Amino acid sequence: MSLQDFLSDLDKLVQEASAAFDAVTDAESLEVARVRYVGQKSGALRDIQKQISKIEPSDRKAAGMRFNESKAAIQDAFNDCKQRLGQGEAAAIDPTFDPTLPGLRPIVGHIHPITQTIEHLMEIMGRMGFEAAEGPEVEDPWHNFVALNIPEDHPARDPLDNFYLATANQNGVEPVSEGNQLLRSQTSTVQIRVMEKQKPPIRVISLGRVYRPDAPDATHFPMFHQMEGLFVDRHVTMANLKTVLRVFAANYLGDDVAIRFRPSFFPFTEPSVEVDFFWNDAWVEFGGAGMVDPNVFEAVGYDPEQYSGFAFGLGVERLCMRRHGITDIRDLYSGDLRFLRQF
Ligand code: FA5
């Protein structure tokens, strides 16, 4: 093939391709023109490139240079056409792409409502000077019962009311006994752990999981969270307890909340009370509280003649549900993202 013929074919192709891209009116005709002229597999440019090998070797360099110029010109015509259609790269990839449609919201994970509640409660109590303390979820009977003034024959230690851990020896699994370790049934265990390590004054809260073999219903779950508070110093009174809980409730639920104590019994506090908050026209029980029993102080080596203190334990799920208007505790643990994404 002569160089002359090759160059005139090349010029014709540039003219033809430019005219074709000029005539394009929509994404579909753009795609047809693209395949025809710049297509990698069988486009016209590709075909003409193959002719270079048939030209006299001395003319091939010139042919190659002109080919590259023509290729750039056709590519420019194609790019101009794409821009003219206002569809950019995406149109060439997918002619059905409509850049004016709203995008898809990316799925971003977020913090579980109970974790959010825990962070909020820590923040409120932190402002009143309560530091966070932690204890293990697998506990021994000393911290879960004995040091909390719950003696060996107390019904609260019944295996039917607790998740005792089974132990095994070479003969197999041994029967569960009340001396075994257990999943803690209350965060009051952390009171003991803190007092064993620190001397008064003490002002701590502990937020964590507890476990009880309660049948699940709208307000009960076998695993739930408690917020334990402990304040020990000289001359601490029940009035201090009520003030701290009222300030807490006002911060968490709002200024219009009222607080009520009802007489109750817990082995580790004397006197003991149930704590109710009045909010949105109803009294709701949130937990228990009281003045630390002298027997508990003795178990951790504090002198009950010198020190007094209060303690409270509130249900975190109950607080979260009340604030957000959640009516069934099971929703929090169903793993249903349609529910969880609301918080
Ligand atoms: C206690 O657990 C005491 N340790 C509280 C306490 C601490 C008293 C310090 C005195 C001093 P009680 O068993 O009542 O108390 O539980 C406290 C709160 O936990 C309840 O009021 C309730 O809000 C929540 N709760 C109890 N059982 C469940 C459950 N199965 N599911 C969800 N929340 C629960």
Side-chain angles (χ1 to χ4, degrees):
M1 185 181 207
S2 78
L3 179 62
Q4 279 311 317
D5 290 348
F6 177 76
L7 294 182
S8 97
D9 284 356
L10 205 51
D11 289 343
K12 260 193 246 149
L13 180 63
V14 173
Q15 274 174 15
E16 196 188 307
S18 304
F21 284 122
D22 279 351
V24 159
T25 51
D26 55 17
E28 219 167 307
S29 49
L30 172 67
E31 180 62 4
V32 171
R34 183 190 72 79
V35 171
R36 177 136 188 226
Y37 295 105
V38 289
Q40 287 299 310
K41 282 207 186 107
S42 58
L45 260 176
R46 185 108 195 139
D47 292 345
I48 212 161
Q49 189 179 17
K50 287 185 196 145
Q51 305 298 322
I52 298 179
S53 60
K54 296 183 190 149
I55 298 173
E56 284 292 303
S58 57
D59 290 337
R60 277 187 204 156
K61 192 173 172 202
M65 279 169 64
R66 280 291 300 280
F67 172 79
N68 284 341
E69 285 168 23
S70 305
K71 182 179 173 185
I74 293 175
Q75 192 67 46
D76 285 350
F78 169 59
N79 290 340
D80 291 349
C81 176
K82 262 199 306 185
Q83 270 203 336
R84 178 165 55 78
L85 287 188
Q87 296 180 335
E89 290 291 315
I93 297 163
D94 176 6
T96 61
F97 178 78
D98 179 354
T100 63
L101 285 176
L104 291 178
R105 186 186 284 270
I107 298 172
V108 180
H110 76 299
I111 297 175
H112 191 277
I114 288 299
T115 311
Q116 289 182 36
T117 305
I118 287 173
E119 285 173 1
H120 191 179
L121 301 181
M122 283 218 260
E123 198 246 321
I124 294 173
M125 295 306 294
R127 275 189 265 139
M128 284 194 270
F130 284 80
E131 278 174 29
E134 276 187 31
E137 288 178 28
V138 173
E139 264 298 4
D140 50 54
W142 166 259
H143 291 95
N144 203 82
F145 300 121
V146 183
L148 286 165
N149 200 28
I150 305 175
E152 220 155 89
D153 53 353
H154 196 281
R157 298 182 64 159
D158 195 316
L160 291 175
D161 294 327
N162 295 284
F163 287 114
Y164 284 98
L165 303 189
T167 49
N169 61 18
Q170 62 269 44
N171 302 322
V173 177
E174 289 187 345
V176 164
S177 104
E178 291 176 20
N180 286 13
Q181 288 196 312
L182 73 162
L183 297 179
R184 67 179 177 192
S185 59
Q186 49 185 349
T187 43
S188 301
T189 52
V190 185
Q191 291 183 32
I192 303 301
R193 290 195 173 268
V194 169
M195 289 191 283
E196 280 174 338
K197 274 198 277 164
Q198 278 171 244
K199 292 283 158 233
I202 286 190
R203 204 188 294 192
V204 290
I205 48 158
S206 182
L207 279 138
R209 290 193 191 95
V210 299
Y211 303 84
R212 292 179 193 178
D214 288 348
D217 63 22
T219 52
H220 293 85
F221 209 70
M223 183 285 301
F224 59 101
H225 295 73
Q226 288 186 333
M227 174 168 79
E228 191 82 13
L230 175 69
F231 191 130
V232 183
D233 205 340
R234 293 173 204 273
H235 316 301
V236 178
T237 69
M238 198 100 175
N240 300 138
L241 168 64
K242 205 163 189 180
T243 303
V244 165
L245 287 176
R246 182 184 293 115
V247 172
F248 161 74
N251 271 278
Y252 187 66
L253 295 174
D255 284 337
D256 51 343
V257 71
I259 183 168
R260 175 173 83 178
F261 282 173
R262 279 178 294 119
S264 184
F265 174 79
F266 295 101
F268 34 91
T269 46
E270 180 59 35
S272 303
V273 292
E274 299 285 346
V275 184
D276 300 341
F277 296 149
F278 186 79
W279 194 57
N280 284 358
D281 297 330
W283 284 105
V284 178
E285 181 207 307
F286 282 97
M291 302 306 292
V292 180
D293 193 290
N295 288 344
V296 174
F297 281 150
E298 268 161 20
V300 295
Y302 284 10
D303 180 356
E305 296 299 325
Q306 282 196 52
Y307 295 108
S308 57
F310 66 71
F312 59 84
L314 307 182
V316 173
E317 280 76 3
R318 303 266 169 96
L319 288 162
C320 168
M321 288 165 72
R322 191 86 185 126
R323 187 177 152 100
H324 295 291
I326 298 168
T327 49
D328 196 321
I329 191 172
R330 290 166 292 193
D331 287 336
L332 287 166
Y333 299 113
S334 65
D336 187 338
L337 290 179
R338 289 167 305 174
F339 171 80
L340 294 174
R341 278 200 192 112
Q342 299 175 80
F343 303 95

